[in-house]
Amino acid sequence: MIRMTYREAIRTALREALAADSRVFLMGEDVGRYGGAYACSKGLLAEFGEERVRDAPLAESSFVGAGIGAALGGMRPIVEVMTVNFSLLALDQVVNNAATLRHMSGGQFSVPLVVRMATGGGRQLAAQHSHSLENWYAHIPGITVLAPATVNDARWMLPAALREPDPVILFEHAMLYPMEGEVDESGAGVDLARAAVRRAGRDVSLITYGGSLWKTLDAAERLEKQGIDAEVIDLRVLRPLDMAMVFASIARTHRAVVVDEGWRTGSLAGEISAQIMENAFDELDAPVRRVCSAEAPMPYPKHLEDAALPQAERIVATVREIYG
Amino acid sequence: MIRMTYREAIRTALREALAADSRVFLMGEDVGRYGGAYACSKGLLAEFGEERVRDAPLAESSFVGAGIGAALGGMRPIVEVMTVNFSLLALDQVVNNAATLRHMSGGQFSVPLVVRMATGGGRQLAAQHSHSLENWYAHIPGITVLAPATVNDARWMLPAALREPDPVILFEHAMLYPMEGEVDESGAGVDLARAAVRRAGRDVSLITYGGSLWKTLDAAERLEKQGIDAEVIDLRVLRPLDMAMVFASIARTHRAVVVDEGWRTGSLAGEISAQIMENAFDELDAPVRRVCSAEAPMPYPKHLEDAALPQAERIVATVREIYG
Amino acid sequence: MTTALEPISLSRERAHALLRGMLRIRRFEEKCAELYSLGRIRGFLHLYIGEEAIAVGAMQSLGPEDAIVATYREHGHALARGMAPGAVMAEMFGKANGCSRGRGGSMHLFDAARRFYGGYAIVGGGLPIAVGLALADKLARRSRVTACFFGDGAVAEGEFHESLNLAALWKLPVLWLCENNLYAMGTALARHQAQTDITLKARAEGVRAEAVDGMDVLAVENAVHRAAEFIRATGEPFLLELHTYRFRAHSMYDAELYRSKEEVEQWKRHCPIAGLSQRLRDGGLLTAEDLFAIEADAMREVEEAVAVAEAGEWEPVEDLLRDVVTPREARAQ
Amino acid sequence: MTTALEPISLSRERAHALLRGMLRIRRFEEKCAELYSLGRIRGFLHLYIGEEAIAVGAMQSLGPEDAIVATYREHGHALARGMAPGAVMAEMFGKANGCSRGRGGSMHLFDAARRFYGGYAIVGGGLPIAVGLALADKLARRSRVTACFFGDGAVAEGEFHESLNLAALWKLPVLWLCENNLYAMGTALARHQAQTDITLKARAEGVRAEAVDGMDVLAVENAVHRAAEFIRATGEPFLLELHTYRFRAHSMYDAELYRSKEEVEQWKRHCPIAGLSQRLRDGGLLTAEDLFAIEADAMREVEEAVAVAEAGEWEPVEDLLRDVVTPREARAQ
Ligand SMILES: Cc1ncc(C[n+]2csc(CCOP(=O)(O)OP(=O)(O)O)c2C)c(N)n1
Ligand SMILES: Cc1ncc(C[n+]2csc(CCOP(=O)(O)OP(=O)(O)O)c2C)c(N)n1
Ligand SMILES: [Mg+2]
Ligand SMILES: [Mg+2]
């Protein structure tokens, strides 16, 4: 076990990938000279050169598409889209090309592309820079969607993603970059198939992912003081979802709350809730509840942003509504 | 009551709007000379001239953004994005500009923009031309999303949309254009607030919208022969959702199946299902089920496309699973 | 514009190869139109009729190591690239023996063995793919050309400019082939572009460019030959704007309200196939018997292709989800 | 490049107005930087320091009927447009008396009364908005100019080309003002554009264009004056590429690893404010007392603005959902 920040974990994984496989290269806006908008690739340009740490112009659709083409051409591109907010400009390439090529070509082509992007709110960046649209990506057949919430997952999900023969979208929550945590140097136990129980509990299952994990764990501690023993599940992989672990948890707790930073209507939390009803209806002692973001463009002031985003208080209150 | 096709209803509404308000203009690819990819604007160029029936270059992001700007400038633009498949190229303008301007400016600006687009599969157009992404638009705070499923709604939702002070996205299912139906010349009863019960029933609530309405009504007839009396609800407005009508129906039937052409995971059907659990849990005698599209890029051959899309048979079978 | 080589400098064999190349595409697509009206081919069908000189002329200078990226109007490119006509026709039928296992249809032809990367139906969507394929070649130190075909309408899309800039900025070996047939569906070039000279747009992105008579297969062959040599020598991109015209409707749904019969007839006088045969006749490189034999070959090929398609099986419904992603088992390997 | 008017041809009043215009922006933003380090201003803060000549020079020829579209680096444009400094500072604080009710912050300044349409933080996202505003004016037969400011980085985005083409094709009165400060965040122009002459790109879309020394407020004023006259006379768009430089970091998060201190110092010698005062001194249009008075005014204005911001209230949390859409009641009217 070694301690490092989420940012360092990603940088370590990037460096390792670039060193290990000559087919791997990093491409995106300001990944080189600037060192990455979140400093994830700081130092990598000097170490690997301009060919493999490639600063891209502001042309999201085309450099993401170029990543798809390079993957078709046998490379293992890691494309950094600075944030999910800008990824909308490249969404056509993801939906219509990256996600369709294998199936549409009758299995002839493979797109081993990894796209990384920062996501989420919490830094007072207002309406155009605070999106959390993981649910949209999780809706697209043909891709795998990851949301590392721990430093260890930040360290090991990237190499696992690079082993995938098909496109992988990796969401890094912008609030987590400075977070410190333990990394298991063996990388054991990090796969792209399973969710993780981050806290075992008997009374209620709190299901979440990404940046919301920490607020949810905080809520679980507060609930413990109130005599409610919450289990916290980190989905980790948003597509395909590991619902088996969720159902198993609910079979024990019979209650669930889904915490998701996305806007409530059409959120991934809604999908989780629907699948729980479809598959664990008889296990439920209460309806599944959701704690999501307010349905408004994100306001700039701290007090309004805090009110818009899921918070431990609201998670606790929601659990109390369905509990006892 | 007069009979016309869904296409004629839209054309009639467009002609009426252009004639009634000089601030209204129609802009999009091939809306003029070509007459509209689906012939909805055929004849309008000759009638209203190039200024107001404006052929646009292939530049979705910019002509949708231009519609936003024109709305800010006091016009009432109707932007036709040929199909939802191409709308991904303009999604940034919808999410980050159209939907945010009123809130982000503290209420100073209004974007009375109407965007029309064809949606859905069923015509063997394969993976890049068969999307059904209404759920993504229904996720965006700040816009209204409409899905006319009947000829009467096709006729009257457009004028209602033009009365809205905020952006409205109107989804026209491509399979419906040739469909004939009755139009109430008074326009009475068409608002943007309520869903509609298209068939009253006691045993199960079938909730759907757009092109799936007709498959669902077909399924309801088959169910009747099997002694199951299904109620069919057409959501009509996908944002904001009129869930009150859905809950009222379920309070009578205690069972529900949601039919939605979108891919299952992350579908609008999942959101409906989640809201039903949250608000009508104790009314449910069985878990809410979904009939959605297979999670794969749409294949070209008829037999595979039919297998991928929701069909009456599958709706009937799903109802039988939860019934009795 | 580049002017054609004198037919005289052509060998009889090459002359016949070029004529055969265009004619077999023409006959293949005429059959497709017929099969569409019979309902054997469905969905969208975009015919290349009138534009054959471009695909045929261009493919002459592209080797098996080079890559092709095309649009939804790509039957001609697939055939000129050497894809099996039977596999292409079977794809149009949606049969499992089609070149995309029947899943893509007319708009999505693929052939990994021939580095034919498709078949893109979102206008402009293939251009970034071409940039990436060329980038892969550059990073892998492979000397190859990626040829990317697209229409004049694609020039209006932002991706056109973004992709050309990337190719020039990163010095990537992309051959941009703009098939300027004067219309984007029903919108004439001058009604969708303020500046209709596409070579200027390429130069503004740092890409060398030239305009060519796309109705003259010899002019196309010559221009592509020189462009490809430039790309192989420098590793930098080059754009050719090929002036051409679509003789048929945009797709089978198109009522052609936007152009006059006269205009179409006018352009048909520049038919690349009739034009070449005439010049070859004049140059003494083509006899009536030759032409008859070439026609017969083309017809036979089409009939055989249809037979292959007819004989094909439908992919079983159980395979609907196959290849959405690679199954876990397969990944282990 | 356009050369400056001779200072001599300037009236003392106009000379002082231009100097004051730039200086008040400089002092305002220096205060913002200070308040950011104190945590009073949060989120992203992009300073315009070094580029003031552009906003100030440009606004001289734009009337109240004209419209402004800007980027996230728009404090200078807002102030030069005549927006109340107090309302702008309050917005940076996130207070309810801010020009966007505190909801937008530094990147999203709005003022309907002054036709200041914001404040766009998605690079390139404001350009189509400008096309639409100009289209509305054209359709309503209003003779107005829409001025759209954007950076060199935005030129790489497809929307730049799409929007210029629309403006030229439809003959729309848009004044495109490209603030070429040589960097898109940490990426130098030559590292994101193969062809670095932006006027060529504009011409390739059918838009007339000229390059201007953006560090010389008189040159900017002169060029914008002529461009605006052209637009008002013809109704057609015009692009000005304004050569400038950002003296500060891209945002408060930027460690500036991508450029040398020397380069920055070199450019600071071309400071538009120091440059103008020197020329005015040399031309006998500015005394030490004048400068002192102008400085004092600027400082007072900044202090007053901060006071307004400090005094502002926070928007109540209950109003979070207000104005997401218009409430039904309000629609009735
Ligand atoms: C992004 C996008 N917008 C619209 C369409 C609908 N569409 C299909 S082809 C076409 C015209 C394209 O014209 P051009 O690029 O000149 O190619 P051509 O058909 O003339 O060969 C249009 C508008 C599309 N497929 N993709
Ligand atoms: C579409 C998009 N991609 C990336 C970003 C992140 N970003 C913000 S400003 C910027 C650089 C823009 O440079 P330029 O247009 O030259 O404007 P400047 O900051 O130099 O004034 C980048 C990459 C963004 N805001 N929007
Ligand atoms: Mg064309
Ligand atoms: Mg810049």
Side-chain angles (χ1 to χ4, degrees):
Chain A
M1 287 290 179
I2 46 170
R3 276 191 86 69
M4 61 176 76
T5 63
Y6 187 91
R7 173 183 290 109
E8 287 160 350
I10 289 161
R11 190 184 304 141
T12 306
L14 287 169
R15 177 180 289 111
E16 177 188 68
L18 285 160
D21 185 344
S22 63
R23 299 171 307 170
V24 172
F25 67 100
L26 176 65
M27 166 166 64
E29 289 158 16
D30 294 304
V31 295
R33 290 272 190 291
Y34 190 97
Y38 298 94
C40 291
S41 50
K42 201 167 167 183
L44 299 183
L45 172 64
E47 195 170 341
F48 298 99
E50 293 190 352
E51 286 277 282
R52 299 185 62 206
V53 178
R54 188 170 285 270
D55 279 318
L58 277 123
E60 286 78 5
S61 193
S62 293
F63 69 72
V64 168
I68 297 167
L72 285 170
M75 304 302 288
R76 290 288 181 276
I78 300 172
V79 174
E80 176 177 309
V81 175
M82 202 178 281
T83 77
V84 67
N85 312 291
F86 319 138
S87 75
L88 296 179
L89 294 167
L91 194 53
D92 166 68
Q93 285 292 333
V94 173
V95 171
N96 285 313
N97 289 347
T100 60
L101 277 161
R102 172 179 294 278
H103 191 267
M104 182 167 71
S105 69
Q108 284 179 86
F109 292 106
S110 189
V111 182
L113 166 72
V114 174
V115 178
R116 296 173 42 237
M117 57 181 96
T119 186
R123 307 193 308 146
Q124 290 191 248
L125 302 184
Q128 297 183 334
H129 276 58
S130 304
H131 295 301
S132 182
L133 295 168
E134 291 87 327
N135 58 323
W136 284 4
Y137 288 89
H139 180 58
I140 307 168
I143 66 175
T144 294
V145 181
L146 310 177
T150 67
V151 175
N152 197 54
D153 273 353
R155 170 67 181 89
W156 295 113
M157 276 187 161
L158 182 70
L162 284 165
R163 286 190 296 272
E164 290 288 305
D166 303 310
V168 177
I169 313 284
L170 221 151
F171 286 97
E172 301 164 4
H173 198 290
M175 296 296 282
L176 300 181
Y177 287 118
M179 176 181 72
E180 278 212 355
E182 299 284 311
V183 167
D184 171 346
E185 284 158 280
S186 77
V190 176
D191 60 39
L192 302 185
R194 280 190 299 276
V197 174
R198 299 298 185 191
R199 182 189 198 280
R202 285 174 282 86
D203 301 334
V204 58
S205 303
L206 305 183
I207 301 140
T208 188
Y209 66 92
S212 300
L213 172 63
W214 306 99
K215 296 171 176 179
T216 307
L217 285 167
D218 174 3
E221 304 227 324
R222 302 184 193 201
L223 285 164
E224 181 161 40
K225 296 193 185 60
Q226 304 178 24
I228 298 176
D229 182 20
E231 179 148 292
V232 176
I233 294 179
D234 172 7
L235 291 168
R236 300 182 64 253
V237 182
L238 307 186
R239 183 179 188 94
L241 288 162
D242 173 19
M243 292 304 292
M245 182 168 297
V246 172
F247 301 148
S249 174
I250 289 170
R252 293 189 297 272
T253 63
H254 310 294
R255 285 179 168 73
V257 171
V258 190
V259 182
D260 177 357
E261 198 178 308
W263 288 309
R264 183 190 191 83
T265 302
S267 60
L268 188 62
E271 176 63 26
I272 305 288
S273 177
Q275 289 197 37
I276 291 171
M277 167 150 58
E278 286 160 351
N279 300 279
F281 189 64
D282 300 334
E283 295 287 351
L284 291 172
D285 290 347
V288 176
R289 293 240 182 271
R290 291 182 280 175
V291 176
C292 300
S293 283
E295 303 207 23
M298 189 63 73
Y300 159 67
K302 180 102 174 52
H303 69 295
L304 293 181
E305 184 177 44
D306 287 347
L309 293 168
Q311 303 296 353
E313 298 72 14
R314 202 137 54 84
I315 301 168
V316 168
T318 306
V319 168
R320 296 205 63 87
E321 278 170 38
I322 58 165
Y323 194 76
Chain B
M1 288 289 179
I2 45 171
R3 274 191 89 68
M4 61 176 76
T5 63
Y6 186 91
R7 173 184 289 110
E8 287 160 352
I10 288 161
R11 190 184 303 142
T12 305
L14 286 169
R15 178 180 289 112
E16 177 189 68
L18 285 159
D21 185 342
S22 64
R23 299 171 306 170
V24 172
F25 67 99
L26 176 66
M27 166 167 65
E29 289 157 15
D30 294 305
V31 296
R33 290 271 191 289
Y34 190 96
Y38 297 95
C40 291
S41 50
K42 200 166 167 184
L44 298 183
L45 171 65
E47 195 171 341
F48 298 98
E50 294 189 353
E51 286 277 282
R52 299 184 62 205
V53 178
R54 188 170 286 269
D55 278 318
L58 278 124
E60 286 79 4
S61 193
S62 293
F63 69 72
V64 168
I68 297 167
L72 285 170
M75 304 302 288
R76 291 289 179 277
I78 300 173
V79 174
E80 177 177 311
V81 175
M82 201 177 282
T83 77
V84 67
N85 312 291
F86 319 139
S87 75
L88 297 179
L89 294 167
L91 194 53
D92 166 68
Q93 285 292 332
V94 173
V95 171
N96 285 312
N97 289 346
T100 60
L101 278 161
R102 172 179 294 280
H103 191 268
M104 183 167 70
S105 69
Q108 284 179 86
F109 292 105
S110 189
V111 181
L113 166 72
V114 174
V115 177
R116 296 172 43 237
M117 56 182 95
T119 186
R123 307 193 309 144
Q124 290 190 249
L125 301 184
Q128 297 183 334
H129 276 58
S130 305
H131 295 300
S132 182
L133 296 167
E134 291 88 326
N135 57 324
W136 283 5
Y137 288 89
H139 180 59
I140 307 167
I143 66 176
T144 293
V145 181
L146 309 177
T150 66
V151 174
N152 197 54
D153 273 353
R155 171 65 181 88
W156 295 113
M157 276 186 162
L158 182 69
L162 284 164
R163 287 190 295 271
E164 291 287 306
D166 304 309
V168 177
I169 313 284
L170 221 150
F171 286 97
E172 301 164 5
H173 197 291
M175 295 296 283
L176 301 181
Y177 288 117
M179 176 181 72
E180 278 211 356
E182 300 284 312
V183 167
D184 171 345
E185 284 159 280
S186 77
V190 176
D191 61 38
L192 304 185
R194 281 189 299 277
V197 174
R198 299 298 184 191
R199 182 188 198 281
R202 284 175 282 85
D203 301 334
V204 59
S205 303
L206 305 183
I207 301 141
T208 188
Y209 66 91
S212 301
L213 171 64
W214 306 99
K215 296 171 175 178
T216 307
L217 286 167
D218 175 4
E221 303 227 325
R222 302 186 193 200
L223 285 164
E224 182 160 39
K225 295 193 185 61
Q226 305 178 23
I228 297 175
D229 182 20
E231 179 148 292
V232 176
I233 294 180
D234 172 6
L235 292 168
R236 301 183 62 252
V237 182
L238 306 186
R239 183 180 187 92
L241 287 162
D242 173 18
M243 292 303 292
M245 183 168 297
V246 172
F247 301 148
S249 174
I250 289 169
R252 293 189 297 273
T253 64
H254 309 292
R255 286 181 169 75
V257 171
V258 190
V259 182
D260 177 357
E261 197 177 309
W263 288 310
R264 182 190 192 84
T265 302
S267 59
L268 188 62
E271 175 63 28
I272 305 288
S273 176
Q275 288 197 37
I276 291 171
M277 167 149 56
E278 285 160 353
N279 300 279
F281 189 65
D282 301 334
E283 295 289 350
L284 291 172
D285 290 346
V288 176
R289 293 243 182 270
R290 291 182 279 174
V291 176
C292 299
S293 283
E295 302 207 23
M298 189 63 73
Y300 160 67
K302 180 103 175 52
H303 69 296
L304 293 180
E305 184 178 44
D306 287 346
L309 293 168
Q311 304 295 351
E313 298 72 16
R314 201 137 54 84
I315 301 169
V316 168
T318 306
V319 169
R320 297 205 63 88
E321 280 170 36
I322 59 164
Y323 195 77
Chain C
M1 298 214 302
T2 314
T3 56
L5 296 170
E6 282 312 301
I8 227 61
S9 75
L10 264 179
S11 76
R12 179 176 223 88
E13 292 59 39
R14 245 182 71 252
H16 289 193
L18 292 171
L19 184 61
R20 180 179 296 104
M22 295 192 288
L23 203 82
R24 59 193 282 270
I25 294 171
R26 178 73 55 96
R27 298 294 173 253
F28 185 93
E29 286 199 312
E30 285 165 346
K31 175 58 91 176
C32 289
E34 183 187 321
L35 291 162
Y36 193 91
S37 55
L38 296 174
R40 305 310 307 277
I41 295 174
R42 314 282 290 270
F44 278 151
L45 180 70
H46 305 88
L47 301 177
Y48 195 54
I49 291 176
E51 309 184 30
E52 298 93 341
I54 298 171
V56 172
M59 295 301 174
Q60 305 306 315
S61 309
L62 298 172
E65 72 288 0
D66 298 324
I68 313 295
V69 173
T71 71
Y72 47 84
R73 193 182 301 285
E74 86 284 36
H75 314 143
H77 309 78
L79 293 175
R81 180 60 173 177
M83 286 171 62
V88 174
M89 187 61 82
E91 188 58 37
M92 309 263 207
F93 276 55
K95 297 292 187 77
N97 58 336
C99 60
S100 307
R101 210 193 296 158
R103 291 170 165 191
S106 162
M107 302 198 290
H108 302 298
L109 305 175
F110 292 90
D111 186 342
R114 289 175 185 75
R115 301 202 75 217
F116 194 87
Y117 287 92
Y120 293 84
I122 303 296
V123 172
L127 280 71
I129 302 293
V131 169
L133 284 163
L135 177 57
D137 289 333
K138 178 178 184 148
L139 291 171
R141 308 270 179 278
R142 294 181 297 239
S143 171
R144 295 169 166 182
V145 170
T146 295
C148 181
F149 295 86
F150 57 94
D152 53 290
V155 168
E157 293 283 2
E159 280 181 323
F160 165 76
H161 305 271
E162 294 180 1
S163 294
L164 262 66
N165 179 43
L166 286 180
L169 184 68
W170 292 343
K171 300 200 178 347
L172 304 178
V174 182
L175 173 58
W176 300 109
L177 296 161
C178 180
E179 303 179 314
N180 178 0
N181 61 10
L182 298 177
Y183 288 89
M185 211 159 139
T187 305
L189 178 63
R191 296 176 47 77
H192 72 72
Q193 290 295 305
Q195 169 51 265
T196 56
D197 182 342
I198 293 164
T199 63
L200 286 182
K201 299 174 199 285
R203 291 188 200 106
E205 296 305 329
V207 176
R208 297 203 189 196
E210 229 176 64
V212 188
D213 175 359
M215 304 305 265
D216 177 347
V217 69
L218 300 172
V220 174
E221 182 191 26
N222 175 16
V224 170
H225 179 75
R226 290 183 296 100
E229 289 206 325
F230 168 84
I231 296 168
R232 293 185 208 282
T234 64
E236 296 181 29
F238 199 102
L239 178 139
L240 288 175
E241 176 185 351
L242 304 131
H243 293 280
T244 183
Y245 197 81
R246 159 168 62 71
F247 292 175
R248 297 295 188 95
H250 167 72
S251 75
M252 308 311 270
Y253 287 90
D254 174 9
E256 291 188 82
L257 306 172
Y258 50 85
R259 62 182 189 180
S260 69
K261 294 237 171 330
E262 296 62 44
E263 180 184 301
V264 179
E265 288 317 311
Q266 178 58 38
W267 270 96
K268 284 186 176 171
R269 298 212 195 90
H270 302 290
C271 172
I273 296 174
L276 180 65
S277 10
Q278 190 53 56
R279 285 163 68 185
L280 295 182
R281 280 240 191 66
D282 300 349
L285 290 170
L286 184 75
T287 66
E289 295 66 34
D290 295 334
L291 187 55
F292 184 84
I294 292 171
E295 277 282 6
D297 286 353
M299 292 310 296
R300 188 179 320 104
E301 181 177 81
V302 172
E303 293 315 324
E304 286 167 3
V306 174
V308 169
E310 295 285 2
E313 306 278 316
W314 297 111
E315 180 172 31
V317 169
E318 302 64 50
D319 287 1
L320 178 59
L321 299 183
R322 191 175 146 203
D323 286 317
V324 172
V325 291
T326 310
R328 292 237 162 254
E329 316 73 73
R331 296 182 200 196
Q333 298 145 22
Chain D
M1 295 214 301
T2 314
T3 55
L5 298 169
E6 283 312 302
I8 228 62
S9 76
L10 265 179
S11 78
R12 180 174 222 89
E13 292 59 40
R14 248 185 67 250
H16 289 195
L18 292 171
L19 184 61
R20 182 179 296 104
M22 295 191 287
L23 202 80
R24 57 195 283 270
I25 295 171
R26 178 72 56 95
R27 298 297 173 251
F28 185 93
E29 286 198 311
E30 286 165 345
K31 175 58 93 175
C32 288
E34 183 188 321
L35 291 161
Y36 193 91
S37 56
L38 296 173
R40 306 308 308 276
I41 296 174
R42 315 282 289 271
F44 279 151
L45 180 70
H46 306 87
L47 301 177
Y48 195 54
I49 291 176
E51 310 185 29
E52 299 92 342
I54 297 170
V56 172
M59 295 300 174
Q60 306 305 315
S61 310
L62 298 172
E65 73 287 1
D66 298 325
I68 314 295
V69 173
T71 72
Y72 46 85
R73 193 183 300 285
E74 86 284 37
H75 314 143
H77 310 77
L79 294 175
R81 181 58 175 177
M83 286 170 62
V88 174
M89 188 61 81
E91 188 58 36
M92 308 262 207
F93 277 54
K95 296 292 187 76
N97 59 337
C99 59
S100 308
R101 211 192 296 159
R103 291 169 165 193
S106 162
M107 300 198 291
H108 303 298
L109 305 175
F110 292 91
D111 187 342
R114 289 176 185 73
R115 302 203 74 215
F116 194 88
Y117 287 91
Y120 293 84
I122 303 296
V123 171
L127 279 72
I129 302 293
V131 169
L133 284 163
L135 177 57
D137 288 334
K138 178 177 183 149
L139 290 171
R141 310 270 181 278
R142 293 182 299 240
S143 172
R144 296 170 166 181
V145 170
T146 295
C148 181
F149 295 85
F150 57 94
D152 54 289
V155 168
E157 292 284 0
E159 279 181 324
F160 164 78
H161 306 270
E162 293 180 1
S163 294
L164 262 67
N165 178 44
L166 286 181
L169 184 69
W170 292 343
K171 301 198 181 339
L172 304 178
V174 182
L175 173 58
W176 301 108
L177 296 161
C178 180
E179 303 180 315
N180 178 0
N181 60 10
L182 297 177
Y183 288 90
M185 212 160 137
T187 306
L189 177 63
R191 296 176 47 78
H192 72 73
Q193 291 295 306
Q195 170 51 263
T196 56
D197 182 341
I198 293 163
T199 63
L200 285 181
K201 300 175 199 285
R203 293 190 198 105
E205 297 306 329
V207 175
R208 296 199 190 203
E210 228 175 66
V212 188
D213 176 358
M215 303 307 266
D216 178 347
V217 68
L218 300 172
V220 173
E221 183 190 25
N222 174 14
V224 171
H225 179 75
R226 291 183 294 100
E229 289 209 323
F230 169 84
I231 295 168
R232 293 185 207 283
T234 63
E236 297 182 29
F238 199 101
L239 179 139
L240 288 175
E241 176 185 350
L242 303 132
H243 293 281
T244 184
Y245 197 81
R246 160 167 62 70
F247 291 175
R248 299 294 190 97
H250 168 73
S251 75
M252 308 311 272
Y253 288 90
D254 174 9
E256 293 188 78
L257 306 171
Y258 51 84
R259 63 183 189 180
S260 70
K261 294 239 171 327
E262 298 60 45
E263 180 183 300
V264 178
E265 289 315 313
Q266 179 58 40
W267 271 96
K268 283 186 176 169
R269 299 211 193 91
H270 302 290
C271 173
I273 296 173
L276 181 65
S277 9
Q278 192 52 58
R279 284 163 69 186
L280 295 181
R281 278 240 193 63
D282 301 349
L285 289 169
L286 184 75
T287 66
E289 296 66 34
D290 295 336
L291 188 55
F292 183 85
I294 292 171
E295 277 281 6
D297 286 354
M299 293 311 295
R300 190 178 321 105
E301 182 176 80
V302 171
E303 294 315 325
E304 286 167 6
V306 174
V308 169
E310 295 285 4
E313 307 277 317
W314 297 111
E315 180 172 30
V317 169
E318 302 63 49
D319 287 1
L320 177 59
L321 299 183
R322 188 174 147 206
D323 285 318
V324 172
V325 291
T326 311
R328 293 238 162 255
E329 314 73 75
R331 295 181 202 197
Q333 299 144 23

